[in-house]
Amino acid sequence: MSRRDAILAACGSVVAMPTCVRGAGVLMNAPDADFAGLARIIEHDPGLTANLLKVVNASVPPSGVPVLTARAALETLDSVESLRFFVSTGVAPHYVCAIEGYDQAPEMFLQHSVTVGVASRELARALGIDAPDHVYTAGLLSGVGKLLLGAYVQVDLGEILRLVFDGGMAFDAAEQAVLGISHAELGSIVLDRWGVPGPVTRVVRHHLRPNGYAGRDVVLDLVHVGNVLAKMIGVGLGADGLNYEVSTGAVGRLGVTSAVLDRVAADVVVALDGLRDLFLACADGGCRE
Amino acid sequence: MSNPLVVGISDMKLSTRPEDVIATYSLGSCLGVTVYDPRARIGGMVHCLLPSAASARERARRNPFMFVNTGVAMTVHRLVDLGADKRRLVFKAAGGANMRDDRLFETGVRNFQALMRLLERNGRRLAARDVGGTIPRTLFLYLHTGRVVVRSLGKESEL
C-alpha cells in the first residue's frame, strides 16, 4: 500500500474531527450552558464546525439547500437541547493534545485557523466584494488536513523540512513528495466524504494553489490571500512557517496591493482582539494536566 | 525561566526588574525589536506588524506599537522616561520573514527597511539581527544581562 493510500485509509475511518478547545465538552454538558456561548465556540473551532456541517448536511436541511456555514447550521437548531442532540449524534468534542508533525500546539492551530477566516472576510470587506457567507467557514476549515495528519498519522517533519530548506520546495509540495498527499487535498477528501458541500471543500482543496482550480471562485481567491496574510501576521504559525507560494493569479483577480494588504492586516489584528477570551480559554490547561 | 512578560502583536512590554524575561511568539513578517540599556539594566521589546504609520495616522495614534517607525520610537521614549540613557541603548531585531518567493507584498522586507531608516536617521546602529527567510521565530530578552535569544524550529541561537 502506498503512503498516500495508507493515509487515506487511516483518515477514512475518522468519524469526527478533534477539537482544539479544551473545555468544549465541559461547556456543552454544563447545565447552565447558553446557546449563544456554545454557538460561539463551535463557530470558531475548525473541528467542531466540520463535525456540525457533517451532521447537519447528512439530514435534509429544512430549506433543502446545503448548509455551508456553522452559523447557518446553528440557526436550524433553536435550543440548547436540540444542540445537545446534535452533539450526541456526532459533534462530540474529542480534544487533540498535539498536532504532531507540524510542531503546532492545538491552541496555535485554532488561532491560526481563526485568523485565516477573519483575514479572508476582512479582505473581502476592504476590497468591497460582496462575498458569500461561507468565506469565513472555508477559511477556518482550510487547514483541517493538518489536524487529521497531526492527530492520526505519523508525519516525518524532518524529511519534509529537508525538502523545503535543502530542496527549495514549498511546504505543500514537500508534503506531496513525502506523504503522497498534501494536507489541503487530504482535508478536502475527508470533508467531501462527510458530505460537506462542494463550495467549501473546493476551497480547502485549492486554497494553497488556487490556479489548480479550473473555474473562477472568489471565495477561493479570498481564502488563498487570507491564508497568506494570516501567515505573514504570524498568529499560531507552525513549523511550516511562511513556506508557501503566493498566487499572482489570485492576487491579480482580487486586485490586492501591498497597501490594501497592510490595511487589512491592521483590521485583522484589531478584530482578533475580540476573540482573545476564546483563545485564552482554549490555551488554559492544554494537555499539561 | 519564570513566566515571561508576553508581547502580543502590535504591542510593547518593558521592565526595570533584572529577573524578568520578555518574549514574543510567532513572528512572521512582523518585526520584533529589543531595546536595552546595559548599565541601567532596563529594557523593552516591541512587536510591530507594519512598517510605517504614514498612511494610517489615526491608527498609529491609537496604537503606535503597530508600526515600526512609531513603535520603536515610542519604546525608546518610554525607556528614557524610566531612566535609560538614549546613548547606551542596544538595538537587536528578529522576524521580518516573507512568503516563499514573495515579490508582491514583501512586508518583512519593508518592516526591516523601516527599522534601518529609523536607526540611521537617529545615528544609531543595529547590534544584531536574525531577519528574513521564511521561518517563524520567537524572541526573548533577558533583563538581567540583556541577552537576546531567537528560537525557531526547535533551535535556539543568541543574538
Side-chain angles (χ1 to χ4, degrees), chain A residues 22-62:
Chain A
R22 177 74 166 165
V26 175
L27 287 168
M28 285 186 179
N29 291 316
D32 58 345
D34 76 293
F35 190 89
L38 293 178
R40 185 165 177 263
I41 291 171
I42 293 171
E43 191 182 6
H44 297 301
D45 182 87
L48 294 174
T49 291
N51 297 342
L52 183 64
L53 290 180
K54 175 188 178 190
V55 172
V56 169
N57 283 294
S59 57
V60 179

Side-chain angles (χ1 to χ4, degrees), chain A residues 123 127 129 216 248-258 260-261, chain B residues 105:
Chain A
L123 185 64
L127 293 168
I129 295 171
R216 174 85 198 269
T248 51
V251 170
R253 286 189 291 273
L254 292 173
V256 184
T257 61
S258 56
V260 169
L261 206 72
Chain B
F105 305 124

Side-chain angles (χ1 to χ4, degrees), chain A residues 108 161 164-165 168-170 228 231-239 241-246 248 251 256-258 261-262 265-267 269-270, chain B residues 8-10 25-30 47 49-51 59 66-67 97-102 104-108 110 133-137 153-154:
Chain A
M108 303 304 272
L161 289 180
V164 168
F165 292 114
M169 283 186 179
V228 165
K231 286 180 167 43
M232 287 165 52
I233 293 172
V235 181
L237 280 180
L242 291 82
N243 283 295
Y244 296 95
E245 290 168 10
V246 183
T248 51
V251 170
V256 184
T257 61
S258 56
L261 206 72
D262 286 359
D267 291 342
V269 169
V270 171
Chain B
I9 299 170
S10 305
Y25 300 96
S26 282
L27 285 163
S29 294
C30 299
H47 181 142
L49 176 71
L50 296 167
R59 215 183 267 281
M66 183 173 274
F67 305 95
N98 293 284
M99 297 298 289
R100 176 173 286 275
D101 301 326
D102 172 26
L104 293 166
F105 305 124
E106 296 188 310
T107 308
R110 290 187 289 122
T134 56
I135 55 171
R137 295 173 173 93
L153 302 175

Side-chain angles (χ1 to χ4, degrees), chain A residues 153-214:
Chain A
V153 177
Q154 199 73 36
V155 175
D156 182 356
L157 178 64
E159 178 63 7
I160 294 173
L161 289 180
R162 194 185 63 73
L163 290 178
V164 168
F165 292 114
D166 298 342
M169 283 186 179
F171 194 90
D172 57 320
E175 281 181 318
Q176 186 76 41
V178 173
L179 305 173
I181 193 166
S182 70
H183 71 265
E185 186 183 6
L186 177 66
S188 72
I189 289 172
V190 172
L191 292 177
D192 187 55
R193 282 179 186 164
W194 285 8
V196 173
V200 174
T201 59
R202 178 164 69 228
V203 174
V204 175
R205 171 71 183 89
H206 296 289
H207 77 281
L208 297 173
R209 295 179 185 271
N211 285 353
Y213 175 60

Side-chain angles (χ1 to χ4, degrees), chain A residues 105-143:
Chain A
E107 65 264 28
M108 303 304 272
F109 178 79
L110 174 89
Q111 290 182 27
H112 187 70
S113 300
V114 168
T115 307
V116 177
V118 170
S120 307
R121 192 181 61 201
E122 293 297 328
L123 185 64
R125 190 172 297 164
L127 293 168
I129 295 171
D130 187 16
D133 288 342
H134 67 277
V135 68
Y136 178 81
T137 304
L140 183 79
L141 295 182
S142 59

